Amino acid sequence: MSNLIIRKVAVLGAGVMGAQIAAHLINAKVPVLLFDLPAKEGPKNGIALKAIENLKKLSPAPFGVKDDAQYIQPANYDDDIAKLAECDVVIEAIAERMDWKHDLYKKVAPHLGPNTIFATNTSGLSITALSEGFADDLKARFCGVHFFNPPRYMHLVELIPTATTRPEILDQLETFLTSVVGKGVVRAKDTPNFIANRVGVFSILAVIAEAAKFGLRFDEVDDLTGARLGRAKSATFRTADVVGLDTMAHVIKTMQDTLPDDPFLPVYETPAVLAGLVKQGALGQKTGAGFYRKEGKAIKVLDPNTGAYVGGGGKADEIVARILKRPAAERLKLLRETQHPQAQFLWSIFRDVYHYIAVHLESIADNARDVDLAIRWGFGWNEGPFEGWQTAGWKQVAEWVQEDIAAGKGLANVPLPQWVLEGAVAEKGGVHTAEGSWSPATKSFVPRSSLDVYRKQVFRAPLVGETGADPKTYGKTLFETDAVRAWVDDRAGENDVLIVSFKSKMNTIGPAVIDGLTQAIELAEKDYKGLVVWQPTSLKLGTPGGPFSAGANLEEAMPAFMMGGAKGIEPFVKKFQQGMLRVKYANVPVIAAISGIALGGGCELALHSAKRVAHIESYLGLVEVGVGLVPAGGGLKEAALRAAEAATQVGATNDLLKFVQKSFENAAMAKVSGSALDARTMGYLKPSDTIVFNVFELLDVAKKEARALAAAGYRAPLRATQVPVAGRSAISTIKASLVNMRDGRFISEHDFLIASRIAEAICGGDVEAGSLVDEEWLLQLERRAFVDLLGTQKTQERIMGMLQTGKPVRN
């Protein structure tokens, strides 16, 4: 396959989706032109400029670093249309109107380069119908590329060809979207709403219909259909509010208008409550009211009978909550047999979705895998609907669904397809098998894509029933303890780098993890090119992944504290520090493969590694202030070393304060990066560290970085023995600003104490400015501050509060 080098992308339409797609392409270092209509007043690029400015205010943030907004180039169709010829990909993302899109296509088509790939980000319109009127050459380069909102965070992109789209273009786009943009690509058929919205919106309509039948409140339904079912916390009605009720109504209308022969057509009628809210302009979160409305601090829920907003708090009944904790097969059986309305409701929505996906699989997707991955990645379910069915017992569930259809309880009277009940699927107990996933069209189990880009994914998104590699057991285990597993990928050419994975809760670091890490380093030094610290949990759902490590294991340190008081903890802290030094001065490169949170001790482990490879959604920070402590695993020491290095390079060792100021603020305010790109601006990642966009490629890239360092003759850094520090004058300056914050009641007395101790450690203690110290001196300052603070009542209150509630205590 020839390389697709994408030098520049144009996005047509600076609305919500177009602007955010542009922002995420900028995150991935892809130059972007953002087009919109010429403004009638002010600068002609005013519409695009306003959209770019608005991106900076959005939450969740579309940019990894807000200042990167400057790299989006605003454009308008009058002045800049000729620039489309410079673009390798053009993505149209204007409003969902076929006539408007066709008008725009007539305008832009003559200006597209001869090899430009043209794509539409429509959420449900026919790609074939959109391509009508194109010359044959452009038709061959046209397809659908459907991002989900918000594009930075949602893993799914649906790639939708027409009958005339050239196959190599799809392969090239899939490669680009997977590796550069970091997405999970599912190829969908050109049917209304494609896969994810078709099934996802049907499931919402089924929930609305069944909730009305069983008389359940919206908040009650959300408690039943969110985290308890392994789905997004926003569940059903909160999700609708976030998406926008007008958007939801539009997607439903597309199904009404384009699926006249669908046996489920009556279900596609816009629910009266939804139509009423849209008519009133209550469109959900963007208008402040929808199914829910915030009044002061209270969140109220709509009562559809009265139209008024009432107090929330509807919950799953205890008996139903207990049923939902049972194994899958038992859970479905109990829900079906229990007469409680909540149980009957839940059985009904499972049955309705199983019925629907079985009937429609052949028309909407190439195979069952694409349906499951689309729903997992696009709607945030922990398992896809086919996976849930298979886990609960394929044959038994199919019989129950068939019985309900025969009894007139289903949302349509069409029977289950024959392949569900007999033949290969019934014999193998489901649609996902070792050979692949079921395709009704080919009557076979279809294997996964063999595109080269997937060779970088040691572990692909797992599916129930497949024999995909389990990251907790895969490869050859070299040693395993209760705390860590050290292993290699034993395929030829892959077995030269050692991997260590933690087994503790949230991958926290205690003495046993330090011991395992040290043992792994010794083994790597003896037999391998390098060591990668990588956590299997980084694969969960594809994104955001993690945690890399939530920090030091405070619970593991508590027995030492109970027996010896604050002083009893000092050996624990010292062992942690020595473990970090062992990482830093290992004779082979230690690579931290970071995804998700790397907080406290997890961040310190990353700081001491030879190199960091971080997934874009990595959140690093020294957050010990939250439990009333200072970072003591060498994080402040590393900040002092980096400040000294930066000051020395520019000959400014007489003014070290400005070089430590940012690191002090990061630690004293427990700042956490909003992305890996942000972590780079904060100093937790270096410019030379690698950022990857697809979490499934993290391990492969980390191993390659280890090999590259080894091939370049890697040597550990020389031990720092003469580090110039900012000293007591800088500490006094920092404390003066802290006094103002304390006296102005912006921080508490205890916050003042903790921040003062951070300042002392990061500035090298009570010495003259420019004094030379070594690493051990700096570590001792950290250690002493940690132990002293642990001896205070207020820090102990913060620790207990965090252990009991998971939330920081302000005292």
Side-chain angles (χ1 to χ4, degrees), residues 72-123:
I72 297 181
Q73 191 178 339
N76 71 81
Y77 300 115
D78 280 3
D79 300 340
D80 306 303
I81 202 160
K83 293 178 182 175
L84 290 173
E86 307 165 9
C87 299
D88 300 294
V89 176
V90 173
I91 301 171
E92 170 272 305
I94 69 168
E96 295 285 282
R97 283 270 303 266
M98 185 80 72
D99 54 340
W100 290 1
K101 289 179 188 284
H102 275 145
D103 287 345
L104 179 62
Y105 295 173
K106 284 174 195 161
K107 187 184 292 186
V108 302
H111 301 278
L112 299 176
N115 298 307
T116 299
I117 296 173
F118 192 25
T120 173
N121 182 58
T122 177
S123 60

Side-chain angles (χ1 to χ4, degrees), residues 158 186-196 198-199 259 356-357 359-367 370-371 386:
E158 290 176 314
V186 166
R187 296 203 188 183
K189 292 189 177 180
D190 187 13
T191 54
N193 294 338
F194 314 126
I195 299 174
R198 178 76 176 271
V199 175
L259 295 166
Y356 191 81
I357 57 175
V359 168
H360 287 300
L361 173 58
E362 185 168 356
S363 66
I364 65 172
D366 288 329
N367 59 72
D370 289 344
V371 172
F386 279 118

Side-chain angles (χ1 to χ4, degrees), residues 88-327:
D88 300 294
V89 176
V90 173
I91 301 171
E92 170 272 305
I94 69 168
E96 295 285 282
R97 283 270 303 266
M98 185 80 72
D99 54 340
W100 290 1
K101 289 179 188 284
H102 275 145
D103 287 345
L104 179 62
Y105 295 173
K106 284 174 195 161
K107 187 184 292 186
V108 302
H111 301 278
L112 299 176
N115 298 307
T116 299
I117 296 173
F118 192 25
T120 173
N121 182 58
T122 177
S123 60
L125 297 179
S126 165
I127 310 300
T128 302
L130 285 170
S131 72
E132 285 170 7
F134 287 172
D136 288 347
D137 178 56
L138 183 54
K139 271 189 179 180
R141 293 181 275 125
F142 184 71
C143 63
V145 176
H146 180 212
F147 286 82
F148 275 63
N149 191 21
R152 171 183 160 187
Y153 302 93
M154 297 304 289
H155 193 56
L156 178 65
V157 169
E158 290 176 314
L159 194 55
I160 312 105
T162 68
T164 53
T165 308
R166 283 209 314 271
E168 64 269 25
I169 278 177
L170 295 169
D171 290 348
Q172 290 171 336
L173 261 183
E174 182 164 350
T175 298
F176 170 73
L177 289 164
T178 300
S179 214
V180 177
V181 190
K183 296 304 172 189
V185 176
V186 166
R187 296 203 188 183
K189 292 189 177 180
D190 187 13
T191 54
N193 294 338
F194 314 126
I195 299 174
N197 276 343
R198 178 76 176 271
V199 175
V201 171
F202 171 81
S203 77
I204 291 171
L205 290 169
V207 166
I208 294 172
E210 301 291 1
K213 187 189 298 180
F214 291 102
L216 304 185
R217 290 164 46 120
F218 298 138
D219 52 345
E220 195 179 354
V221 168
D222 275 355
D223 188 61
L224 288 163
T225 59
R228 293 182 193 276
L229 297 188
R231 299 180 186 176
K233 285 182 184 174
S234 53
T236 304
F237 296 106
R238 281 188 199 281
T239 297
D241 274 358
V242 170
V243 168
L245 303 191
D246 51 341
T247 304
M248 181 78 65
H250 170 79
V251 175
I252 294 168
K253 183 80 164 58
T254 302
M255 291 162 86
Q256 289 170 22
D257 294 347
T258 54
L259 295 166
D261 301 323
D262 192 318
F264 290 87
L265 181 63
V267 185
Y268 303 154
E269 185 179 340
T270 306
V273 63
L274 178 61
L277 286 167
V278 171
K279 189 176 179 182
Q280 293 168 32
L283 306 181
Q285 194 167 282
K286 59 189 170 188
T287 60
F291 288 107
Y292 293 90
R293 186 170 75 188
K294 194 169 183 182
E295 296 181 9
K297 290 189 176 179
I299 294 175
K300 296 199 168 181
V301 62
L302 181 70
D303 179 343
N305 298 318
T306 65
Y309 289 89
V310 298
K315 294 273 185 194
D317 192 85
E318 185 55 37
I319 188 171
V320 176
R322 284 203 302 271
I323 290 173
L324 290 177
K325 292 177 181 175
R326 307 303 300 162

